[in-house]
Amino acid sequence: MVESNVITRLDGLRKRSIKFSDLPIDKNLHSLMYNIDLLTLAYHNLKSNPGNMTPGITSETLDGISFEGVKELSDRLKNESFQFSPGRRFEIPKTSGGMRPLTIASPLDKIVQEAMKLILEAIYEPLFLNCSHGFRPNRSCHTALRSISQSFMCATWVIEGDISKCFDSFDHNILMSLIESKILDRRFTRLI
């Protein structure tokens, strides 16, 4: 498989994160970001989800992206001319009542976001506590419930909570300073 080299590089990042968890990542992540194999892997991760075929602000969909389009994306990432496009935003009904905003990114933006996610997961996933289950690969509310039932056998009740508009209130400057204290490659962090 062509992507095996990029998977090896991501695994190397993961292993480095485990071995030197207190040290910043001083590797050139920017070159990994524009790696054709990483972008192809990101595309393949996305294409199996029918929701990712929804068009953004243009009519272009993920299945309309060719290898030449990925190569052009790689070149734009390499020379730092890539810019995220505005997303298509609309409101969808919540099961509990009310509406919630949903933004649909362009297909190229989705590929870049997935590639960034793969890199960030390789770095940060090994650092999370085992008791953390939210928004993690191979983790869900079901793994959290299983963990609770195994760890707290005497518990009768478990209360689940949701902080309203939690993600809307995060200070992006604080988040970026935390990311930049761990990741030293400013070409990569500027893209974030």
Side-chain angles (χ1 to χ4, degrees):
M1 180 182 242
V2 178
E3 290 114 7
S4 64
N5 181 40
V6 80
I7 291 171
T8 301
R9 287 182 69 183
L10 290 170
D11 193 49
L13 274 175
R14 185 188 63 76
K15 288 177 180 172
R16 187 197 181 287
S17 217
I18 292 168
K19 189 171 182 179
F20 304 106
S21 60
D22 292 338
L23 296 178
I25 301 292
D26 56 359
K27 304 284 185 207
N28 181 357
L29 300 179
H30 179 250
S31 67
L32 180 57
M33 189 62 214
Y34 63 77
N35 182 298
I36 294 280
D37 292 339
L38 179 70
L39 297 172
T40 303
L41 176 62
Y43 170 82
H44 286 292
N45 286 355
L46 295 169
K47 74 175 183 146
S48 61
N49 182 343
N52 285 323
M53 295 303 165
T54 307
I57 58 171
T58 66
S59 61
E60 184 180 38
T61 59
L62 197 61
D63 56 351
I65 303 291
S66 65
F67 180 76
E68 290 76 26
V70 174
K71 172 72 173 98
E72 182 184 316
L73 174 61
S74 170
D75 292 341
R76 289 174 48 208
L77 287 165
K78 184 175 185 175
N79 67 29
E80 298 183 75
S81 64
F82 174 81
Q83 294 288 314
F84 286 101
S85 305
R88 183 167 62 108
R89 191 171 178 99
F90 54 94
E91 302 270 325
I92 61 171
K94 292 168 48 174
T95 54
S96 60
M99 303 293 273
R100 108 177 148 83
L102 179 67
T103 304
I104 308 286
S106 76
L108 292 179
D109 288 3
K110 289 177 185 179
I111 293 171
V112 172
Q113 290 168 355
E114 177 67 15
M116 291 169 68
K117 183 188 90 137
L118 291 169
I119 292 171
L120 291 171
E121 269 183 359
I123 294 168
Y124 288 103
E125 178 63 24
L127 304 178
F128 291 138
L129 295 175
N130 197 37
C131 61
S132 174
H133 293 266
F135 302 99
R136 293 182 64 193
N138 304 315
R139 305 250 180 161
S140 66
C141 58
H142 301 288
T143 61
L145 287 170
R146 188 176 323 113
S147 176
I148 289 169
S149 71
Q150 291 169 354
S151 300
F152 301 100
M153 291 180 164
C154 62
T156 305
W157 293 93
V158 175
I159 300 172
E160 183 265 342
D162 189 7
I163 301 171
S164 177
K165 300 190 180 190
C166 175
F167 293 112
D168 298 343
S169 62
F170 285 141
D171 185 324
H172 290 166
N173 293 322
I174 293 172
L175 286 175
M176 282 310 300
S177 68
L178 289 169
I179 289 170
E180 289 178 339
S181 68
K182 182 69 177 173
I183 298 173
L184 301 182
D185 184 344
R186 293 300 168 251
R187 291 176 300 173
F188 179 75
T189 59
R190 270 196 304 272
L191 189 57
I192 296 173

